[in-house]
Amino acid sequence: MEAISRNLNSIDAITLLLVLSLIMITIVRFFYRTRFANYMILPINNKYVTIYSKKGRMRSWFHFGNLLFQLLNFSVFAHLVAKAFTEKDEFQFLEVYLLFGFGLGLYLFSKMVLQLCAGFIFDIQGKILELMFNKQSYFNYSAFVACIANIFLAYIFPDSKSIIYLALALIILINISCIYSLINVNQNIIQNRFMYFILYLCALEIAPLVIFASYLKG
């Protein structure tokens, strides 16, 4: 009997990663039912961050599971976006997936280190940890949008730019709601230290994003 080799194509790889991410989020939901229920209404009710920003913050398996879910789905989404906007017939899945996954992980890690350093220097570690938890929770949540978009782009409407634009708009909207919530809660601190707030935005929000975009472009 002659052996037949079968190469794993991009759809097979995407299916495997999507199933893996869905299994992961199902396990998280199974072990953290109440927390997951609060998490699912995060964009319309910040009860989740109010309760859990003081309880272990980012050192929980729940947060870690959502972080992995985010990395898996955003990396797949990046590949599907790149595939939709390129004229190549065969777009290398592994190349884009690993590039974006590594870049996103490096970006998040760099931001975390910079924010922790800033918290240590200005002796506001507690506030910085709370801020990091809030922003990361919203960013992780927006991965649900990416996951749904991945399913549509991979199996129902391949290369649909409308789906991509809609998903990007929802992802941006979710994260803008996080910024609005943070500014609303901390408006007294921001007003009293407005220059520090501007420096924070430039050094810890905008600068890492520019470096990340330059890395991907390169």
Side-chain angles (χ1 to χ4, degrees):
M1 182 180 293
E2 184 178 353
I4 300 175
S5 62
R6 181 176 183 270
N7 295 324
L8 188 70
N9 60 42
S10 62
I11 292 297
D12 291 332
I14 289 170
T15 300
L16 179 63
L17 291 168
L18 288 178
V19 169
L20 179 62
S21 68
L22 291 174
I23 291 174
M24 184 180 304
I25 207 66
T26 302
I27 293 173
V28 168
R29 182 186 179 280
F30 178 79
F31 286 102
Y32 300 90
R33 292 181 182 273
T34 302
R35 186 167 180 171
F36 189 84
N38 291 326
Y39 181 68
M40 290 308 297
I41 59 172
L42 180 59
I44 59 175
N45 189 323
N46 63 353
K47 179 180 178 181
Y48 171 80
V49 294
T50 301
I51 296 174
Y52 296 100
S53 62
K54 305 296 185 190
K55 295 183 178 181
R57 295 188 172 93
M58 293 180 290
R59 293 175 297 177
S60 69
W61 286 109
F62 181 88
H63 189 83
F64 183 69
N66 280 287
L67 178 62
L68 290 179
F69 178 81
Q70 173 233 121
L71 289 172
L72 285 171
N73 280 283
F74 274 132
S75 298
V76 171
F77 184 65
H79 162 75
L80 294 171
V81 171
K83 180 174 175 290
F85 285 93
T86 186
E87 296 180 355
K88 295 180 181 179
D89 293 330
E90 292 294 331
F91 201 86
Q92 294 298 320
F93 171 78
L94 188 61
E95 178 183 345
V96 177
Y97 184 81
L98 292 179
L99 176 66
F100 189 85
F102 177 77
L104 181 59
L106 182 62
Y107 168 71
L108 294 175
F109 179 75
S110 300
K111 273 190 64 176
M112 181 183 71
V113 171
L114 288 172
Q115 289 173 327
L116 289 175
C117 289
F120 178 78
I121 292 171
F122 296 105
D123 195 24
I124 51 171
Q125 294 96 321
K127 198 64 181 178
I128 287 294
L129 286 172
E130 183 179 341
L131 182 68
M132 290 168 57
F133 176 83
N134 289 3
K135 291 191 301 178
Q136 193 60 52
S137 295
Y138 276 87
F139 192 50
N140 289 346
Y141 186 92
S142 61
F144 285 104
V145 176
C147 181
I148 295 171
N150 290 338
I151 294 172
F152 276 92
L153 291 170
Y155 311 112
I156 304 174
F157 302 111
D159 303 334
S160 171
K161 293 181 175 61
S162 298
I163 297 293
I164 292 172
Y165 291 138
L166 177 60
L168 288 174
L170 290 174
I171 290 170
I172 292 171
L173 186 62
I174 289 170
N175 287 278
I176 286 177
S177 69
C178 170
I179 296 172
Y180 174 78
S181 176
L182 288 173
I183 292 176
N184 189 48
V185 171
N186 299 284
Q187 57 183 332
N188 291 331
I189 298 175
I190 293 172
Q191 288 173 359
N192 295 331
R193 298 174 176 83
F194 185 72
M195 288 303 300
Y196 289 108
F197 176 67
I198 297 299
L199 288 173
Y200 168 81
L201 288 179
C202 293
L204 299 181
E205 295 295 337
I206 299 175
L209 190 60
V210 171
I211 294 171
F212 177 52
S214 299
Y215 168 78
L216 290 180
K217 185 178 179 181

